[in-house]
Amino acid sequence: MKLDRRDFIKISGATAAGIAVSGLGFDLKQVKSHAGMLKTRYAKESTTICCYCAVGCGAIVHTSKRGDGRVMNIEGDPDHVINQGSLCSKGSSIKQLVENENRLTEPMYRAPYSDKWQTVSWDWALNNIADRVKKTRDESFEKTNAKGQTVNRTTKIASVGSAALDNEECWIYQSLMRSLGLVYIEHQARI
Amino acid sequence: MSKSILIDTTICTGCRGCQVACKQWHNLPAEKTTNVGSFQNPQDLSFDTYKLVRMNEEIINGKLEWLFFADQCRHCIDAPCLETAFDENAIYKDSATGAVQYTKTTKKLDADEIIGSCPYNIPRKAVDGTLAKCDMCNDRIHNGLKPACVTACPTGAMQFGDRDEILALAGQRLEKAKKKFPKAMLLNPDEVNVIYLVGFDPELYTDYAVASNDRGGLSRSVALRKMMGPFAKMMRV
């Protein structure tokens, strides 16, 4: 290794400075705390099931205890029998279902033939849905078919959804749809 | 005992769970990307992307092979970036885990010099010159958790543990892989803590899969500092 003049001056200068400093008893070693605190250290842990595909992977949700209840982290649950901690790219991103600036937090309504959405209240939205479902269902309800067989159905309403529902929610949903007389009940994951 | 990661690309399905889990744990924003006709997304590592599943389609022995390479920092045992920076406030190695750590002080370094010193082309700079790369989830390791990417991996392609355990596992996996992939090999296992097992010629996965003498490594002044050893470290030349 060839030293040029500049390197030589740098080394000799630094040597002098180093001896001067070490002579005064300074500790030149950097003290570093390697073990940073986990961002989830003071978070509340709850378990959930990934909402995407039918595998049903378990996940741990870390929520802030600061009172705002915001989600800080979601990762695979190592104790879950199905995925044992692992998650695919969609599962790894489910925090974005909650922590997302594009997420709608209020019901939106677009009137027939209107070209814009407006924010409405939950009460208004739920009452209107109920009214319209009832009206359409009553108007289209068939007690018997052309052969005179009892069918008690409506073919003017269809349901599409939802791949994101869990087993118990699906049961309630199916009960509601069947009680209204729906026969077109489909799941968007098959479409 | 330092920690190591094994990435067995022969059983990777390219799901990108590791890539997203990394973003999620580190609270990194998404990249704005465009469709370029490949499933690989984004196209390169960046200041906000520490882990990237590189995807290449290659015809090998008349058969189409889709090659996945979950690229990340190798946490070299003798890291050229660390030697080049020569500033423990900017780049240092956690002696307990072997993880090479970048701090905000990397802003004061010559970013291009550091990037150029990396044989695997990993560090990336922000607009202000701060450098970032995979930190091996050092905070998780110290708290008894596996790195986010390893935790997420659904196929077991990524494994984490003490270095001797991972080296032993890498040897076993290599033997197994060789039955199906005669050209299977481990990439620089003696030099890095993130050991890749590939089934084909490493050049097919990415240009920087294996360390090469043609690029990266130490510049003359860095080699000089290294030669001076602990003496130079004390002097901060």
Side-chain angles (χ1 to χ4, degrees), chain A residues 26-78:
Chain A
F26 284 115
D27 185 4
L28 295 177
K29 265 189 205 157
Q30 289 290 324
V31 181
K32 283 202 183 63
S33 171
H34 295 305
M37 257 212 306
L38 282 184
K39 65 177 182 180
T40 51
R41 169 116 178 233
Y42 296 111
K44 181 188 163 199
E45 284 191 5
S46 13
T47 57
T48 189
I49 309 287
C50 175
C51 61
Y52 287 120
C53 80
V55 171
C57 294
I60 298 175
V61 184
H62 292 100
T63 39
S64 164
K65 278 183 178 168
R66 244 176 281 146
D68 53 7
R70 302 317 301 177
V71 174
M72 300 157 78
N73 182 53
I74 301 183
E75 63 183 71
D77 181 356

Side-chain angles (χ1 to χ4, degrees), chain A residues 1-4 7 10-11 14-15 18-19 22 28 30 32-40 72-76 84-89 92-93 95, chain B residues 15-18 20-21 24-27 88-89 92-95 138-140 142-143 145 151-154 220-221 223-224 227-228 231 234-237:
Chain A
M1 180 69 59
K2 196 173 143 269
L3 290 181
D4 60 24
D7 284 338
K10 266 161 94 180
I11 293 166
T15 309
I19 290 167
S22 59
L28 295 177
Q30 289 290 324
K32 283 202 183 63
S33 171
H34 295 305
M37 257 212 306
L38 282 184
K39 65 177 182 180
T40 51
M72 300 157 78
N73 182 53
I74 301 183
E75 63 183 71
Q84 296 166 18
S86 67
L87 284 177
C88 74
S89 47
S92 293
S93 72
K95 186 173 90 173
Chain B
C15 79
R16 286 182 290 211
C18 53
V20 179
Q24 203 273 145
W25 179 257
H26 292 98
N27 291 328
E88 286 183 350
N89 291 318
Y92 67 96
K93 192 183 226 355
D94 181 341
S95 50
N138 211 31
D139 52 346
R140 292 175 62 96
H142 276 286
N143 287 281
L145 296 168
T151 307
C153 183
R220 202 178 65 88
S221 60
L224 174 72
M227 197 176 70
M228 308 274 292
F231 181 66
M234 193 172 76
M235 297 314 152
R236 293 245 160 273
V237 253

Side-chain angles (χ1 to χ4, degrees), chain B residues 200-222:
Chain B
F200 301 101
D201 182 1
E203 302 286 317
L204 298 174
Y205 291 81
T206 155
D207 293 343
Y208 298 90
V210 277
S212 155
N213 289 333
D214 314 345
R215 56 160 188 268
L218 306 177
S219 66
R220 202 178 65 88
S221 60
V222 176

Side-chain angles (χ1 to χ4, degrees), chain A residues 32 180 185 189:
Chain A
K32 283 202 183 63
L180 289 170
I185 304 174

Side-chain angles (χ1 to χ4, degrees), chain B residues 88-223:
Chain B
E88 286 183 350
N89 291 318
I91 302 180
Y92 67 96
K93 192 183 226 355
D94 181 341
S95 50
T97 60
V100 178
Q101 304 291 308
Y102 282 23
T103 71
K104 280 180 186 157
T105 315
T106 49
K107 191 175 166 183
K108 292 181 187 160
L109 302 173
D110 179 346
D112 294 325
E113 190 191 22
I114 303 293
I115 296 166
S117 76
C118 177
Y120 307 100
N121 188 26
I122 297 296
R124 293 289 183 271
K125 62 177 175 181
V127 182
D128 70 357
T130 313
L131 287 161
K133 63 156 192 73
C134 158
D135 62 358
M136 217 199 238
C137 287
N138 211 31
D139 52 346
R140 292 175 62 96
I141 301 174
H142 276 286
N143 287 281
L145 296 168
K146 291 179 193 170
C149 52
V150 180
T151 307
C153 183
T155 63
M158 292 195 72
Q159 297 289 335
F160 172 81
D162 286 338
R163 182 165 171 81
D164 51 355
E165 287 170 15
I166 289 298
L167 279 173
L169 180 66
Q172 290 167 18
R173 288 271 184 97
L174 178 64
E175 287 311 305
K176 211 172 169 186
K178 273 191 169 162
K179 287 174 192 153
K180 200 175 167 194
F181 306 95
K183 281 185 144 183
M185 63 188 282
L186 299 170
L187 304 183
N188 304 101
D190 300 328
E191 292 152 34
V192 295
N193 276 321
V194 177
I195 302 159
Y196 287 82
L197 168 56
V198 294
F200 301 101
D201 182 1
E203 302 286 317
L204 298 174
Y205 291 81
T206 155
D207 293 343
Y208 298 90
V210 277
S212 155
N213 289 333
D214 314 345
R215 56 160 188 268
L218 306 177
S219 66
R220 202 178 65 88
S221 60
V222 176

Side-chain angles (χ1 to χ4, degrees), chain B residues 1 11 43 45 70 76-77 80 84 112-113 117 126 134 153 176 183 225 232-233:
Chain B
M1 173 61 68
I11 58 169
Q43 288 307 299
L45 296 165
C76 302
I77 290 161
T84 305
D112 294 325
E113 190 191 22
S117 76
C134 158
C153 183
K176 211 172 169 186
K183 281 185 144 183
R225 285 181 211 146
K233 209 159 241 175

